[in-house]
Amino acid sequence: MTARTTRTIMSETSAIAPRAQALKMFDGPVTDESLRRFLEGIPGVDAVGLEQRAAALGTRSIKTTSKAWAIDTIISMIDLTTLEGADTPGKVRSLVGKALTPDPSDASCPRPAAVCVYGDMVGTVIDALGSAHGEISVAAVATAFPSGRATLSVKLADTAEAVAAGADEIDMVIDRGAFLSGRYRQVFDEIVSVKRACLREDGSAAHLKVILETGELTTYDNVRRASWLAILAGADFIKTSTGKVSPAATLPVTLLMLEVVRDWHRLTGEKIGVKPAGGIRTSKDAIKFLVTVAETCGEEWLSPELFRFGASSLLNDMLLQRQKLRTGHYSGPDYVTID
């Protein structure tokens, strides 16, 4: 692609209307100056207070009946994920089989919200889901996941191909280098452009999850600014991590992102989802996140439409805990599939 073509694309995307509320908030076009003034004017995060609040929420106890409900709710919020270079159609079909029947010994077990794969595997997931496609969504990572190091044209083609293949949801990554360099308008325009690439021919659109990769943003202040930026640009969900960078989803970072979503809802009435991804492997940890959601945004966020877990191994522990509540004893690891 020539430099002229790239400039033309950027010029065209600059004219795309971002989230309507952003225009109202800035009282006019979104510019580098207005974005910088807004984002850098956001009050700094009280790191000690944030971490203390997260720690306190993590100590809440859950009674047996509530725990049973929590386990089923968490299972229904999982994006069952495989994002490896060694993924094969057979491995993906096996993962879909697990999504369709998480616990063969108990037909009442809920299904996860989505199966998340690379874009070239979308068709395989759809074929394997059959009539269950709709109950279980198909999510695809895009925009040169996980690094985000590619030209805009490549990122848009990556997104458009996944949507054309039938993806219901797109998980994009922001350009962390641009964000950390203070090029907020570039990041904003890319999100707006990817949002447009999520449009289908029939006028509907795939939901857009924007991955901040919080482990590379370094500070809580940057996480807060990136969350606001993504929402202003049109994110349907804000997501912590790719799962490829450590630290991934931590409770304090997720709490901070939930606070941004709560504040946006109070300001505009719009509901934005949150997705922690990476490193959440046990029911004990997942329940802490569930409590944090309820205490921060309210119980209406306790649904797959507004909260997800990006995970591959979490489902196994949830199934073992669920079997324990049902039978009174723990099953061995051979009672669940090997991922």
Side-chain angles (χ1 to χ4, degrees):
M1 168 169 285
T2 66
R4 182 177 181 277
T5 304
T6 301
R7 286 196 299 271
T8 300
I9 290 175
M10 289 302 295
S11 175
E12 290 174 351
T13 59
S14 297
I16 302 169
R19 188 178 292 277
Q21 293 291 353
L23 294 176
K24 295 179 183 178
M25 189 172 296
F26 289 105
D27 194 26
V30 178
T31 65
D32 275 317
E33 182 181 354
S34 62
L35 272 174
R36 185 170 294 106
R37 184 170 58 247
F38 176 81
L39 294 174
E40 295 182 357
I42 295 173
V45 177
D46 176 0
V48 174
L50 178 72
E51 291 173 357
Q52 287 180 342
R53 172 67 171 161
L57 289 169
T59 63
R60 299 286 177 84
S61 61
I62 303 294
K63 303 302 180 183
T64 302
T65 53
S66 297
K67 186 175 181 180
W69 173 87
I71 288 173
D72 279 4
T73 300
I74 290 166
I75 291 173
S76 75
M77 292 174 166
I78 291 175
D79 283 0
L80 196 57
T81 303
T82 183
L83 296 169
E84 302 297 334
D87 285 344
T88 63
K91 180 181 178 181
V92 170
R93 290 191 190 97
S94 176
L95 193 71
V96 173
K98 184 170 184 174
L100 290 170
T101 312
D103 186 349
S105 70
D106 185 358
S108 69
C109 183
R111 290 170 168 175
V115 174
C116 184
V117 293
Y118 278 108
D120 63 317
M121 290 292 180
V122 167
T124 301
V125 176
I126 291 175
D127 288 344
L129 283 174
S131 61
H133 183 207
E135 178 187 350
I136 300 174
S137 297
V138 181
V141 295
T143 64
F145 177 97
S147 69
R149 311 308 308 175
T151 62
L152 178 61
S153 60
V154 169
K155 294 177 181 181
L156 296 181
D158 196 18
T159 303
E161 287 177 6
V163 173
D168 305 297
E169 303 168 2
I170 295 294
D171 289 31
M172 71 165 286
V173 290
I174 66 167
D175 185 332
R176 284 85 76 190
F179 178 87
L180 292 170
S181 299
R183 302 197 306 275
Y184 302 135
R185 177 62 187 271
Q186 178 182 334
V187 179
F188 181 92
D189 280 348
E190 285 197 356
I191 297 172
V192 171
S193 300
V194 173
K195 179 83 170 180
R196 181 176 67 175
C198 288
L199 286 172
R200 305 187 185 94
E201 291 184 359
D202 63 3
S204 63
H207 278 221
L208 179 62
K209 306 193 200 87
V210 177
I211 306 171
L212 309 181
E213 197 65 289
T214 54
E216 292 185 341
L217 296 185
T218 309
T219 69
Y220 290 135
D221 287 347
N222 280 337
V223 172
R224 178 180 277 174
R225 290 170 184 159
S227 298
W228 275 99
L229 179 60
I231 292 171
L232 287 166
D236 297 304
F237 264 74
I238 50 176
K239 178 178 172 181
T240 61
S241 326
T242 61
K244 307 295 184 182
V245 171
S246 183
T250 67
L251 198 59
V253 160
T254 304
L255 170 59
L256 178 57
M257 293 168 64
L258 286 165
E259 288 176 346
V260 172
V261 164
R262 176 201 63 197
D263 293 345
W264 178 262
H265 180 249
R266 289 175 177 174
L267 184 67
T268 68
E270 293 180 343
K271 296 177 181 177
I272 307 299
V274 177
K275 178 180 173 180
I280 306 171
R281 297 184 176 88
T282 68
S283 61
K284 182 178 180 180
D285 286 339
I287 287 173
K288 292 178 183 179
F289 282 83
L290 210 63
V291 170
T292 302
V293 174
E295 292 288 334
T296 307
C297 292
E299 293 184 4
E300 57 192 319
W301 258 261
L302 296 178
S303 75
E305 287 71 37
L306 291 171
F307 196 78
R308 299 281 183 86
F309 292 94
S312 54
S313 59
L314 175 61
L315 180 56
N316 278 355
D317 192 64
M318 303 308 301
L319 294 176
L320 292 174
Q321 294 296 328
R322 196 173 188 276
Q323 290 170 7
K324 165 64 166 56
L325 289 178
R326 191 177 85 245
T327 66
H329 59 82
Y330 282 105
S331 302
D334 54 335
Y335 279 74
V336 293
T337 59
I338 299 173
D339 298 317

